[in-house]
Amino acid sequence: MKIRNLVLSVCLIVMSGCGGCGSGNTWTIFVYGHGDHNLSGSLMADINKMAAATLTGDVKVIVAADFDSSAKDSTGTPFPTGTTWYSITGGGEKTIIRNVEEQNLDDPTVLAEAIKYVIGNYPSDHYGIIMWDHGGAWDGGFGGDTQDGTLPAAQVRGMTNVEVRDAIVKGFSSAGPVFKPVLDFIAFDTCLLGSAEAAYLFRSITNIYIANAELDFGAGWNYTDTLTALAAKPSMTPVEFATMELEKWDALHKTASNDDLLLRSHTSLDTSKIDIFAAAMKDLVIAIEATKSTGVLPSNGDVYARASAFALPSYGKTAASKTENSKYRDVGQFLRYLVVFAPADISAKAQAAIDATSAMQIGRDYGTLRDPASTYQLAFNIALPEISSITDELLSDYAAKAGDWTATTGWKDFLSDLKASASAEVPNPNYSIVVGTKTVTIVPSGSSLTFSSMEVLKDNFTTGFNYGTTNFGKITAGTTYTMIWDGMTWKLGIQAADTTVLPWFYTNAELDTITSNANN
């Protein structure tokens, strides 16, 4: 998957290595600057932000930057071809240390060789790799090299998360036995790689995993302040670094855009605790599986369908994208619904999984639509597609790309259960808006439906619109469901027990101001 809207993605990884190389406090941070596509200008801007940091000899920042030479920078100058290597010295300074002929940074061998080069030439006590590019959760992976604009989109391959992990391991192992194969942290400053499936893959080669569960709406890492803080205190532990980075990230993103204000999501994980989280999720899946009768979940999986649908706003959206159902939902929101509404044994397993998720998180940051008091957002996504979109092809792809995770937890089996529970009849709720009365009328067709969801667009004030998501349980064909907007919440008629409506957000027609309505 290539992230829509051409949003900025940045990906960072930091390695831990040859203890005793120096004072014990030296760091080498390697930035894998994968910008050979629409983000070339953003990559150069971020390199300049790195250069603006105040650095010391204890912190070396090395960047391998691949641009799209068919594009031009802000001055009208074409970007260079090939891979340009920079040493970032700080104070606004950067030095070109190496030029390599055009490479495809989607090739795992290129990543492995780059890591080998950095480790061999810039020994330190602590190492970091920063992977800079597009990212896409369990299925999208990382990358998208256009080869200086010569490759059509269909031929841009990217790297799977498995390929990224294996390339890092290969880079370390080829550098020699003196280097430990465990990084201080891997930080994916990309879209959507703050996911259970991706983080689980890297647990054995890094102490800390840092990533965004949501799209990166453009601001990327706070390079200047983060690198300056590390240089001022190079003795900080990986956990201290992760805590500091989160604070700097929040300071940049909470005012960066309306999307960031509402939807940003960033997390840091202690990978030594990921196995405990995975075990808790496995226990939950086993408990759910045990409730099946003749291969079908009770009540056609209604409680699980609702739990997945109520994990809103889902990941992979901007404030302007209102109707698309995402494949990625928040782990915490899904589990919290089960705690409250699932049978007692499953509720207990869901609570244990929430506790395990919280325990492995060093910190998390999110927008105002992800207020933990009302949504139990954990800034950590997992595959939870709309039930009607779970296909055999998707399940096969999941087994291939998220194999480590699902082999341990059985999550693919749970997704298969949801698929089997879906109504054979496609939900078809029609709706009409009565102008001036603030009402929406929904009339579902077909027989009783296990689950249906839709988003409605309502002109509730003269200046704008309200977006809400309606979620149905078992509903009767031909029954009329009327909802009235009172300016704060949707009011339902006698069918209130059958339909729930979740207000999402209010926006004016020009999208220049957005006010959260999540807590109303």
Side-chain angles (χ1 to χ4, degrees), residues 81 86 88 121 166 192 217 227 234 258 270 323 328 336-337 387 417 443 456-457 469:
T81 190
Y86 299 93
I88 308 297
N121 288 277
D166 292 349
L192 299 172
F217 299 111
L227 295 175
N258 280 330
D270 180 345
T323 58
Y328 321 115
R336 181 61 185 177
Y337 188 89
I387 293 174
D417 291 338
V443 182
V456 295
L457 170 63
T469 298

Side-chain angles (χ1 to χ4, degrees), residues 280-325:
M281 293 296 285
K282 177 182 179 179
D283 289 345
L284 173 65
V285 171
I286 290 174
I288 293 173
E289 292 276 300
T291 66
K292 291 193 298 186
S293 175
T294 63
V296 180
L297 292 170
S299 301
N300 282 344
D302 183 67
V303 69
Y304 308 109
R306 286 175 175 267
S308 62
F310 286 2
L312 291 169
S314 52
Y315 293 109
K317 291 189 175 186
T318 66
S321 59
K322 299 167 283 290
T323 58
E324 182 181 357
N325 290 310

Side-chain angles (χ1 to χ4, degrees), residues 19 21 39 48 73 139 155 194-195 213 217 246 343 414 439 463 505 515:
C21 295
L39 300 181
N48 289 333
D73 64 20
D139 54 336
Q155 296 179 26
S195 71
F217 299 111
L246 189 76
F414 171 67
T439 63
T463 57
F505 61 83
T515 303

Side-chain angles (χ1 to χ4, degrees), residues 423-487:
S423 173
E425 185 171 0
V426 177
N428 185 30
N430 299 309
Y431 69 93
S432 62
I433 297 175
V434 180
V435 178
T437 63
K438 302 184 178 68
T439 63
V440 177
T441 298
I442 297 177
V443 182
S445 63
S447 58
S448 295
L449 303 174
T450 299
F451 182 78
S452 171
S453 73
M454 63 174 289
E455 292 188 3
V456 295
L457 170 63
K458 178 69 179 69
D459 184 0
N460 61 350
F461 298 111
T462 59
T463 57
F465 306 90
N466 181 77
Y467 299 99
T469 298
T470 65
N471 297 278
F472 301 112
K474 292 186 175 180
I475 58 179
T476 305
T479 301
T480 299
Y481 299 82
T482 300
M483 300 175 291
I484 302 174
W485 176 255
D486 66 1

Side-chain angles (χ1 to χ4, degrees), residues 200 273-283 356 360 405 408-409:
Y200 190 72
K273 299 178 181 179
I274 288 184
D275 282 327
I276 299 173
F277 162 68
M281 293 296 285
K282 177 182 179 179
D283 289 345
M360 75 174 175
W405 169 254
T408 297
T409 64

